[in-house]
Amino acid sequence: MSTIDSPKSGGPVDAALMADLAAAARILAAQGVVDGFGHVSLRHPQAPNRYFMSRSIAPALVTPADIIEYDLDSNPCNANGRGSFLERFIHGEIYKARPDINAVVHSHSPSVIPFGLVNVPMQAMFHNAAFIAAGVPVFDISRKFGATDMLVSDGVKGVALAKVLGKNDIALMRAHGSVACGPTLQTAVFRAVYTEVNARVQHWTHALAGGAPMAVLDAEEGKLADGPNQTAGMRAWDLWRSQVRASVGW
Ligand SMILES: [Zn+2]
């Protein structure tokens, strides 16, 4: 697409917000949620039909200058020769389907992947992962698209993923990874981190239980614990954000 065909920007945003988004990518790398792959995005705070995400680059290397603005069809407004992630449609289509979601993380975090491969649902093992008690659907790309390269690389596949996500905030992607969403950047990052931690705890608990029942959070406990988490999660964010600031100065 030439510059002349690019969608218009939703307008300027605070530089601190772009620094937070770049920092979020580095936080997710530091917490073992993303590695060379994976991405985090943020809806434009004034223009709900636009979102921000870094150019196609390893998350641990992202700087504020790498952030590109997109419309919800995931066309870049200001690429200026910078490459876009192939799977950006995950983000655009979730923003279209879910006006309540303002940030999305896509990762291939390894402890989560087994739950997309076997018929054992993820369950909320402890209070920090309370959001999981609402249920974690599994998107199997082959159900609608047959054999593929597994990537959500166009709008049609993004729509199918958003449909499986439904009203949930987390979805697994069979033999690929997961998405974690939230009303704020901080909450989406918190959920992505604790989805990975919860998966580890569930593997340990499952092994320990040896088939005995596991006393996981039920749906009601999940609801009660998730509200306070969204505030308490800010303590984790403040820690992680200060670590990025100490290392790069922004
Ligand atoms: Zn992926």
Side-chain angles (χ1 to χ4, degrees), residues 39 87 90 106-108 151 173 176:
H39 20 88
E87 294 198 285
I90 292 171
H106 168 56
S107 76
H108 312 147
L151 302 180
M173 300 158 77
H176 179 169

Side-chain angles (χ1 to χ4, degrees), residues 61-148:
L61 302 177
V62 174
T63 71
D66 294 312
I67 308 286
I68 298 175
E69 182 177 349
Y70 294 91
D71 69 9
L72 297 194
D73 289 328
S74 297
N75 299 307
C77 304
N78 58 344
N80 300 324
R82 296 173 294 175
S84 294
F85 285 116
L86 280 176
E87 294 198 285
R88 60 192 182 280
F89 304 94
I90 292 171
H91 303 255
E93 298 304 329
I94 288 176
Y95 290 131
K96 266 189 217 169
R98 289 283 301 275
D100 60 313
I101 285 176
N102 293 312
V104 175
V105 175
H106 168 56
S107 76
H108 312 147
S109 76
S111 310
V112 174
I113 288 174
F115 295 97
L117 301 177
V118 295
N119 197 18
V120 174
M122 277 198 87
Q123 294 179 284
M125 310 306 289
F126 69 127
H127 64 298
N128 282 349
F131 56 91
I132 285 174
V136 182
V138 179
F139 171 65
D140 179 353
I141 198 166
S142 72
R143 247 176 237 161
K144 185 158 182 189
F145 302 99
T148 66

Side-chain angles (χ1 to χ4, degrees), residues 7 31 35 37 66 81 141 153 206 230:
Q31 296 300 315
D35 45 25
F37 307 97
D66 294 312
I141 198 166
S153 50
H206 192 81
Q230 292 193 35

